[in-house]
Amino acid sequence: MSSCLSGGCRPYGFDLEIVKSPSSTSTITTHSSSPSSTTLSESSNSPLAISTRKPRTPRKRPNQTYNEAAALLSTAYPKIFPAKHLEKNTKFNTKTVLDTFLTCTDSPDLLLPFRVFDNSGFLLHQPIQEKPGFRIEPRVVNCYENPCQTPVENDFLEDFDAESILDEEIEEGGLDSIMGNLSVENDPVDESDAGGCSIQIGSSCYGFPMGLGFGGKFDFRFGLKRGVRALRNVEEGREWWRFPTVNVTDISPKLNKAAAAAPTEKKKKKVEKQIEVFKGIESPKENSFTKENQNSIAKQKENAIPKSKLLKLNYDQVASAWSDRGSPFSEEFPGHEQSGIDLHARLAEIDLFSENGGVREASVLRYKEKRRTRLFSKKIRYQVRKVNADRRPRMKGRFVRRPNSPMSDRS
DNA sequence: GACCTGTGTGTGACCACGTGTGCGC
DNA sequence: TGCGCACACGTGGTCACACACAGGT
């Protein structure tokens, strides 16, 4: 008998299962690594059953992948990822990795070949080091904290989807097309002050604290280029990274306070519940951001969230500052009261060549529409295979041979 | 605070077989 | 260009396991 029994001569090994007696639950198998108990239940009633089933490969545990990666990293970069962490913490520890990364200031091994600015060291010596437990979490109050963010940008940040962006880039021919016309001239920031981690879109910016955790000495901009396609227009003779940036410390909320206010793990859930309450108050349907609404919302927020738990904000002041910009939480744009306006109709209304960023608005609309309609369900590449799989007989969720299959005669 | 126990959640593995793909002739 | 061959891939439902979390002691 050949070991090549079925399935295109796959390297099957013998898996002898000798069942002593039908009543006995003990099973002698040549593959002790198989933790599955289903082989026992699927065994025939014969006292001596020979299974040609391939032994189960050791299952990867949820953290096993991370552990393997960590082991690989410790091998490749022992200076950066010392093996002691692997020995002590078999479980993947984000904090440990982050700490290790943050404390490795003298290891340029992993730094990207981006331009290094002299004053970009602040990325490393920011309060993060004082508070290693700093966690990157979705921020609810970005709009209020960072006045340079438009509502759309905050929305964009809130659900950053790299895949969609890449799709957009493919479709539109450039990453900048997502956010419209990105003019360099409108934002004359001194390049020497470009302190690194900042993402700038249009006339505003992203204070992206995420970049703060990556060792600091590289310019972290996601390849975005203002007004010019990133990495594509090198032939223009312009150095693509030479676009003005804003020091992240100027545009980010005070990380000291944020880090100090960061909840402990045990209190995380409580804070998340409070955030839910916060979101519930800020319903997306509040398009008319009138002064009355602002005041009531501010009062509700004060009542809903203990002041000691979250950042203290002067909601009245912030709301009044936003009074002429429409609702920062609205999916719609000011002037559109209806929520179900057809995208194309709205796009048609936009003057693409207006000086107020018509292209940008259209791009944002396209992006939001795409984000709204994107599918998180499983993507079927081959429909015919799905049909076949649906037709295929199963036993406890596993495919089994068809009764009339030629292979079934051998067993 | 540490420990234990029960419950809920997320995810990899498993199976057969038709289809896709690459290669040689 | 067409054909045949061998192999890899993808498909869905279920199970088993690790882990997170809550509650009690």
Side-chain angles (χ1 to χ4, degrees):
Chain A
M1 183 182 283
S2 162
S3 64
C4 195
L5 292 176
S6 67
C9 290
R10 285 193 289 181
Y12 281 5
F14 280 124
D15 189 5
L16 293 175
E17 296 179 1
I18 304 174
V19 182
K20 288 181 179 177
S21 71
S23 60
S24 172
T25 56
S26 63
T27 301
I28 301 174
T29 173
T30 58
H31 294 276
S32 59
S33 63
S34 173
S36 174
S37 61
T38 58
T39 55
L40 181 64
S41 59
E42 289 177 8
S43 300
S44 67
N45 292 329
S46 167
L48 177 61
I50 300 177
S51 171
T52 59
R53 207 170 289 140
K54 187 173 64 174
R56 290 177 78 115
T57 56
R59 297 196 322 115
K60 284 195 174 183
R61 304 304 167 207
N63 278 328
Q64 186 174 348
T65 306
Y66 296 114
N67 292 336
E68 289 173 352
L72 201 62
L73 283 170
S74 69
T75 304
Y77 305 100
K79 200 174 178 182
I80 303 176
F81 301 98
K84 59 181 181 181
H85 292 297
L86 297 177
E87 294 167 1
K88 292 180 179 178
N89 304 325
T90 55
K91 296 198 309 184
F92 179 76
N93 193 337
T94 309
K95 179 177 175 296
T96 303
V97 173
L98 184 62
D99 292 348
T100 307
F101 218 108
L102 288 174
T103 52
C104 289
T105 60
D106 57 342
S107 298
D109 303 9
L110 294 181
L111 300 184
L112 299 180
F114 289 147
R115 182 183 174 207
V116 176
F117 294 95
D118 293 335
N119 60 345
S120 60
F122 75 92
L123 291 176
L124 187 66
H125 304 296
Q126 276 293 321
I128 287 180
Q129 274 199 324
E130 304 168 10
K131 197 79 175 176
F134 175 78
R135 290 170 57 88
I136 300 166
E137 293 181 345
R139 303 182 60 85
V140 183
V141 290
N142 266 357
C143 273
Y144 287 143
E145 292 176 349
N146 190 357
C148 73
Q149 287 182 358
T150 68
V152 170
E153 288 157 359
N154 183 62
D155 192 17
F156 180 84
L157 245 188
E158 168 192 299
D159 197 355
F160 191 84
D161 187 351
E163 188 179 353
S164 290
I165 290 174
L166 289 176
D167 289 345
E168 287 277 355
E169 184 184 19
I170 293 171
E171 291 176 9
E172 309 296 338
L175 193 58
D176 54 324
S177 63
I178 299 167
M179 304 307 290
N181 185 20
L182 310 175
S183 168
V184 177
E185 290 76 12
N186 293 341
D187 219 353
V189 181
D190 187 4
E191 185 183 319
S192 62
D193 280 340
C197 175
S198 64
I199 304 170
Q200 295 194 336
I201 306 288
S203 60
S204 56
C205 56
Y206 286 113
F208 215 76
M210 188 173 83
L212 293 172
F214 290 91
K217 285 196 175 180
F218 61 87
D219 201 4
F220 188 56
R221 289 167 187 161
F222 291 118
L224 285 171
K225 181 185 177 187
R226 307 180 69 225
V228 188
R229 289 188 182 90
L231 298 174
R232 291 193 179 185
N233 292 351
V234 182
E235 67 276 6
E236 293 175 6
R238 303 172 60 182
E239 298 176 58
W240 62 270
W241 60 82
R242 287 185 176 275
F243 58 91
T245 57
V246 174
N247 193 322
V248 71
T249 55
D250 296 338
I251 62 175
S252 297
K254 300 300 180 185
L255 290 174
N256 262 334
K257 295 177 182 177
T264 61
E265 286 296 315
K266 291 200 169 185
K267 296 179 180 177
K268 197 176 75 174
K269 274 230 162 183
K270 270 192 174 180
V271 175
E272 284 177 356
K273 284 182 180 178
Q274 290 164 354
I275 289 174
E276 287 299 320
V277 175
F278 188 95
K279 285 180 177 176
I281 292 172
E282 296 294 352
S283 170
K285 294 180 179 177
E286 294 174 15
N287 284 334
S288 58
F289 203 66
T290 63
K291 286 241 173 183
E292 294 177 1
N293 286 342
Q294 296 158 16
N295 291 334
S296 63
I297 288 170
K299 286 181 181 177
Q300 288 180 47
K301 276 182 286 194
E302 286 180 357
N303 294 334
I305 304 174
K307 288 183 178 179
S308 60
K309 295 293 183 181
L310 291 179
L311 297 175
K312 295 177 180 178
L313 296 173
N314 188 339
Y315 295 108
D316 293 335
Q317 189 175 350
V318 173
S320 62
W322 273 94
S323 59
D324 57 340
R325 302 193 187 188
S327 170
F329 304 97
S330 172
E331 285 290 320
E332 306 300 327
F333 283 78
H336 290 288
E337 299 298 328
Q338 302 175 11
S339 60
I341 297 178
D342 183 59
L343 173 71
H344 298 290
R346 285 165 53 180
L347 283 172
E349 293 176 8
I350 298 172
D351 181 10
L352 296 179
F353 301 101
S354 71
E355 294 181 354
N356 298 330
V359 176
R360 170 182 164 78
E361 187 179 353
S363 299
V364 170
L365 268 181
R366 279 202 308 274
Y367 164 74
K368 297 183 82 170
E369 178 67 13
K370 183 167 184 173
R371 198 189 67 168
R372 190 178 64 81
T373 58
R374 66 186 170 183
L375 299 173
F376 292 96
S377 57
K378 188 177 179 181
K379 194 178 284 182
I380 302 297
R381 294 176 61 186
Y382 302 101
Q383 193 67 29
V384 68
R385 291 187 177 184
K386 173 179 166 59
V387 173
N388 288 331
D390 287 336
R391 286 185 201 160
R392 201 157 291 149
R394 289 195 189 91
M395 181 86 68
K396 290 187 176 180
R398 297 183 179 188
F399 295 126
V400 295
R401 290 193 183 93
R402 289 200 175 93
N404 55 357
S405 172
M407 295 301 297
S408 63
D409 299 337
R410 302 192 186 189
S411 57

